[in-house]
Amino acid sequence: MSDWNVLMVGAGTMGRGIAEVFAAKGIEITLYDAFPEQLKKAKEMIQADMKYYEQEHIVSPEEVKNTEKFISYEENLDKACSKINLVIEAVFEDKDIKRDTFNKLDSLCAPDCIFCSNTSASNIFEIAQIRNPERLLITHFFNPPYVMPLIELVMGPKTSTAVVEKVKDLLTSLGKEPAVIKRYIPGFIVNRLDNVLCREIGYMITQGWTTAEDVERAIRYTSGTRYSFEGPLSLHDVVGWDLTTTVSKNIYQTLCNDTDCDRLGTELIKEGRLGIKTQKGCYDYKGINTQEFMNKRSHKIIKMLKAIRTLDDPE
Ligand SMILES: NC(=O)c1ccc[n+]([C@@H]2O[C@H](COP(=O)([O-])OP(=O)(O)OC[C@H]3O[C@@H](n4cnc5c(N)ncnc54)[C@H](O)[C@@H]3O)[C@@H](O)[C@H]2O)c1
């Protein structure tokens, strides 16, 4: 039996997925949502997710049963807060709603209950006014939470190292790969790096120097292949920092340094090309079935993760 008793506030895309992560490993988790119909939907979606993960062989029959046994669905927040020692907030990305949620949680939960937020874009440390802020941190899961191993753990100015270590140990025991960021910075690690890359890609394409297809080909068949087993720092160790530093000197001054807009994004938005949801983005998605497309995408992620594990642990 686990000592953890978790509350998930918000039963949308992320909330239900995060609940699967904990429950599958036998940890009691309560799903709460301000809109009861979301709880019903979450229960159905969790069953559908488990069916799919069973097909993909990434969940055992016992873990599927655990998601039925260890997730409870609660419409009453007072009741949901009664015996928990960890809460994760995944409500809408709206500062007022998040502030109000943490106000309520602070008045209902034990003063040593750990408070986590799944926010992607809010400085929760300025928003949440809670007693004992040393127990507040961001646990940023990726979608779908059951599949994606990385969780960014972001500390606020008062977050205690002991609390972060405790949460890190817990997430590691669930098979996740936590990465710690010691202060709040917009985008954390992953979205910051994605923006660095996309700013330069947008620059090269809008200058007419290359095409979307060729940039993606270049990434998939070099960095993309290597990144699954060695990050850019390990690569520089292989090449030698004397050489990489000389190369950087020539390149840095020619890089895009826009600070106001995403050049490519702005052009695409003007043309109504928002991506899959408008059936056109950088590429054409006319006539595709979105659910099928997303499942195929998840299938590729799962296959890659299995391959990476084989590389890490050849036995
Ligand atoms: N979707 C992603 O890929 C993703 C990835 C990482 C982080 N996030 C972050 O996770 C959070 C949730 O995102 P999501 O995609 O799951 O959103 P979502 O819209 O799918 O779900 C949000 C849920 O919160 C509920 N809710 C709204 N107000 C509430 C309240 N006051 N009390 C309780 N429940 C309330 C809604 O009914 C809904 O079920 C956001 O902060 C988002 O930025 C999202």
Side-chain angles (χ1 to χ4, degrees):
M1 264 287 276
S2 162
D3 293 336
W4 290 101
N5 200 315
V6 184
L7 168 63
M8 189 67 238
V9 180
T13 307
M14 296 307 287
R16 72 173 155 82
I18 295 169
E20 293 166 356
V21 172
F22 284 87
K25 294 284 186 271
I27 295 177
E28 300 266 4
I29 184 159
T30 304
L31 256 180
Y32 163 79
D33 199 286
F35 303 91
E37 65 275 15
Q38 284 294 93
L39 293 176
K40 194 168 165 272
K41 192 173 152 200
K43 196 171 185 175
E44 288 164 8
M45 298 288 281
I46 289 170
Q47 280 167 358
D49 283 351
M50 287 303 129
K51 228 181 211 168
Y52 174 63
Y53 296 148
E54 256 189 319
Q55 276 172 29
E56 293 283 0
H57 306 290
I58 57 164
V59 62
S60 68
E62 194 195 343
E63 286 170 331
V64 175
K65 272 197 203 126
N66 282 348
T67 59
E68 288 156 19
K69 188 171 160 194
F70 290 107
I71 304 180
S72 47
Y73 300 82
E74 181 55 68
E75 292 179 21
N76 180 321
L77 186 60
D78 292 33
K79 252 197 201 164
C81 290
S82 64
K83 50 184 188 333
I84 55 156
N85 48 18
L86 177 78
V87 56
I88 305 176
E89 167 276 312
V91 301
F92 296 143
E93 194 61 70
D94 176 297
K95 288 185 175 46
D96 292 335
I97 296 177
K98 288 200 188 285
R99 183 178 298 109
D100 181 55
T101 301
F102 276 103
N103 275 345
K104 282 189 193 140
L105 290 170
D106 192 36
S107 67
L108 294 170
C109 300
D112 59 350
C113 173
I114 296 176
F115 280 9
C116 303
S117 171
N118 190 52
T119 182
S120 302
S122 302
N123 186 343
I124 208 70
F125 306 103
E126 286 176 358
I127 293 169
Q129 302 300 321
I130 58 161
R131 297 166 292 168
N132 310 337
E134 65 276 6
R135 62 189 167 132
L136 175 66
L137 73 153
I138 292 171
T139 45
H140 185 236
F141 287 73
F142 288 77
N143 190 25
Y146 193 80
V147 176
M148 298 300 284
L150 184 74
I151 301 166
E152 291 172 312
L153 303 189
V154 185
M155 297 172 72
K158 298 193 172 144
T159 313
S160 96
T161 311
V163 167
V164 174
E165 286 305 315
K166 226 172 158 180
V167 173
K168 193 175 162 187
D169 287 348
L170 169 63
L171 295 172
T172 306
S173 76
L174 303 178
K176 294 299 182 192
E177 296 280 351
V180 177
I181 299 121
K182 292 184 186 155
R183 54 162 292 175
Y184 180 88
I185 39 166
F188 316 144
I189 297 175
V190 174
N191 284 339
R192 272 181 101 80
L193 295 182
D194 181 60
N195 273 276
V196 169
L197 206 57
C198 280
R199 177 166 66 177
E200 191 56 33
I201 291 172
Y203 182 52
M204 291 196 288
I205 293 174
T206 54
Q207 294 291 99
W209 296 341
T210 185
T211 60
E213 288 84 356
D214 279 344
V215 168
E216 298 224 292
R217 183 173 298 120
I219 292 173
R220 286 181 65 195
Y221 293 106
T222 52
S223 324
T225 311
R226 285 191 303 248
Y227 281 177
S228 54
F229 63 92
E230 100 190 334
L233 300 178
S234 313
L235 173 68
H236 282 212
D237 275 350
V238 171
V239 176
W241 287 87
D242 46 344
L243 177 56
T244 59
T245 305
T246 308
V247 172
S248 304
K249 233 183 210 160
N250 286 329
I251 297 177
Y252 272 20
Q253 53 196 314
T254 71
L255 293 176
C256 179
N257 58 8
D258 287 349
T259 53
D260 54 344
C261 77
D262 171 343
R263 292 180 189 223
L264 181 60
T266 308
E267 276 191 10
L268 291 171
I269 292 166
K270 258 193 227 151
E271 292 169 26
R273 291 162 59 180
L274 306 187
I276 292 174
K277 59 185 163 188
T278 57
Q279 307 213 321
K280 235 180 180 187
C282 259
Y283 302 113
D284 196 348
Y285 301 94
K286 207 161 168 229
I288 62 145
N289 174 318
T290 309
Q291 191 54 50
E292 262 176 34
F293 179 90
M294 295 310 278
N295 277 356
K296 272 190 189 157
R297 186 175 173 271
S298 288
H299 177 71
K300 288 177 190 167
I301 295 172
I302 290 165
K303 267 185 113 169
M304 280 304 295
L305 287 170
K306 283 182 182 167
I308 294 167
R309 277 188 204 114
T310 332
L311 291 176
D312 286 346
D313 181 14
E315 296 309 301

